[in-house]
């Protein structure tokens, strides 16, 4: 039974997944620190407060509040995290990949067209030529 467990744990997919989870968690901490410690203070300096928690609080009865502002704060934080990941990770990685491909002389693979679709396109073009 222990040998089977060891074989399961040592499979490449399990190890790769574990590494991805650990690196993802560490990267999440980096992005969170970027947003919380750099971007949000900049917004606070410009706008005055980076939190909308006190905005649109609706009291139903004593002690029961519906806090639309708290939701808005979380939504803005999500958008800031998404923007930080896109502009700090995705765009530079795309640029690096393009430069690497250009340096190696690799061209992007063209999508292979389904023969049936190509035949239908030819038929369409021929019909257009014949129709006045």
């Amino acid at each position: 039974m222990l040998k089977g467990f060891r074989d399961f744990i040592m499979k490449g997919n399990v190890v790769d997944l574990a590494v991805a989870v650990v690196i993802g968690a560490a990267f999440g901490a980096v992005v969170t620190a970027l947003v919380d410690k750099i971007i949000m203070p900049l917004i606070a300096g410009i706008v005055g407060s980076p939190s909308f928690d006190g905005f649109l609080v609706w009291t139903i009865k004593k002690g029961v509040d519906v806090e639309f502002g708290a939701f808005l704060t979380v939504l803005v934080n999500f958008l800031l995290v998404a923007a930080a990941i896109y502009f700090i990770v995705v765009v530079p990685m795309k640029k690096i990949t393009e430069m690497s491909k250009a340096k190696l002389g690799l061209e992007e693979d063209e999508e292979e067209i389904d023969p049936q679709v190509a035949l239908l396109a030819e038929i369409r073009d021929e019909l257009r030529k014949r129709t006045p």
Side-chain angles (χ1 to χ4, degrees):
M1 181 160 63
L2 290 176
K3 182 183 181 304
F5 180 71
R6 186 195 70 203
D7 292 343
F8 170 73
I9 291 298
M10 296 309 292
K11 282 185 181 177
N13 293 343
V14 174
V15 174
D16 291 344
L17 180 61
V19 170
V21 167
V22 170
I23 290 181
F27 184 71
V30 170
V31 172
T32 301
L34 172 70
V35 170
D36 290 344
K37 303 298 182 189
I38 296 173
I39 296 174
M40 292 304 270
L42 290 173
I43 291 173
I46 295 169
V47 180
S49 173
S51 176
F52 302 106
D53 290 348
F55 180 69
L56 284 176
V57 176
W58 181 35
T59 303
I60 296 174
K61 62 181 180 177
K62 190 171 185 163
V64 179
D65 294 332
V66 177
E67 300 175 354
F68 293 105
F71 173 73
L72 188 59
T73 299
V74 172
L75 184 64
V76 168
N77 285 345
F78 169 76
L79 292 174
L80 289 173
V81 168
I85 289 172
Y86 181 75
F87 290 112
I88 294 175
V89 176
V90 174
V91 171
M93 285 301 295
K94 186 176 180 183
K95 220 32 148 174
I96 290 169
T97 303
E98 289 173 359
M99 288 176 14
S100 176
K101 283 183 179 180
K103 187 176 181 179
L104 295 173
L106 300 175
E107 295 179 16
E108 290 193 24
D109 297 334
E110 291 185 21
E111 244 182 73
E112 201 171 302
I113 298 174
D114 184 10
Q116 292 177 346
V117 173
L119 178 62
L120 289 172
E122 288 177 31
I123 293 170
R124 180 198 63 211
D125 295 341
E126 284 297 320
L127 288 173
R128 283 185 183 161
K129 288 179 187 175
R130 292 182 185 179
T131 307

